[in-house]
Amino acid sequence: MQQIKTDKLDAIVARFNVVDEKVQDPAVIADNKAWAELCRERSELEPIVEKYNALKKLQNDYRDAVDMQKSGDHELAQLAHEECASLEELIDKTVEELKIMLLPKDPNDGKNAIIEVRPAAGGEEAALFASELCRMYRMFAERKRWQIEDISVNETELGGMKEGVYRFSGKDVFSLLKYESGVHRVQRVPVTETQGRVHTSTVTVAVLPEAETVDVEILDKDIKIDTYRSSGAGGQHINKTDSAIRITHFPTGIVVTCQDQRSQTKNKERAMQVLATKLYDYYQGQKDEEYASLRKGQVGTGDRSERIRTYNFPQGRVTDHRIGFTIYNIDEFMNGDMEKVIEALRIADQTRRLEGE
């Protein structure tokens, strides 16, 4: 039967009781910011406290069942023995759930995300698949009732995607989409193929936690802002005004562009937000070697130079190479039904972290 150290759990219960009392204090309620922060903390602690209380009840029931086995009544002792076996399973399951709940949370999990999708190897076929991946993420976002904003979308003549940069906002956005960072490989017969041969192409996906204003300081002397005319496959508002924005950050060499909005001011706002996000990601990796290592080794945030997933259309399968997980419903997956794969990645990540504990 599994055991768990209770010192940390007892401290969480004590803190929960303090917070629970404070959120009912009229003086605290009058301070909206402080009250909201305490309510958030209470909502995070409450599930752990409830699970710990459930564990303690199961342990008390188990001790009672053990005592019952010592009774002189053979039939009663047999029933108690069976109950012990059942309670042991429940206790093990509850301890495992508590261990997962106590794992350190990724501080970025609650943030919105900036997603960048670009074709890599494969020419026009890679550009077409990049467009399909963007559609897949949009449909997944619709299932989650997230908001989507186009930041920079550059299409090809055939309807493919040279670049797609988007902002996804809503509940648990980064915690779910972070597993998509990496190289996505597609195997299928391209629409441009005349002899029916299967081609292999790749698309890169980068998912970054959106930086808040307080996360990054951008100095005017460190950036250069250029305006230029929007480019694309064509359209009513293309190439008529210098509304597109390019921002270069000199200390890091990071360059971002935004051309999706018709207004130069709005494009500048979006570009500055993307720059802040990229700088946050850049400085986090530089400041903390452990964080950089985690991004390369952790399930779901693997090195972007390595393929993470294969989409094989002739076989109708999607295989995630990080965990060796395969499903055979590629059409549903491409229509945004991604939950099963993301859940498998999340569980694999938790298991790895528990084993490394």
Side-chain angles (χ1 to χ4, degrees), residues 111-126:
K111 294 187 176 183
N112 299 325
I114 302 294
I115 301 180
E116 302 177 350
V117 181
R118 294 183 177 89
E124 187 61 39
E125 165 64 3

Side-chain angles (χ1 to χ4, degrees), residues 207-223:
V207 181
L208 304 175
E210 183 183 45
E212 299 175 11
T213 307
V214 295
D215 291 333
V216 179
E217 181 181 13
I218 302 175
L219 303 177
D220 289 341
K221 67 181 180 65
D222 289 339
I223 61 174

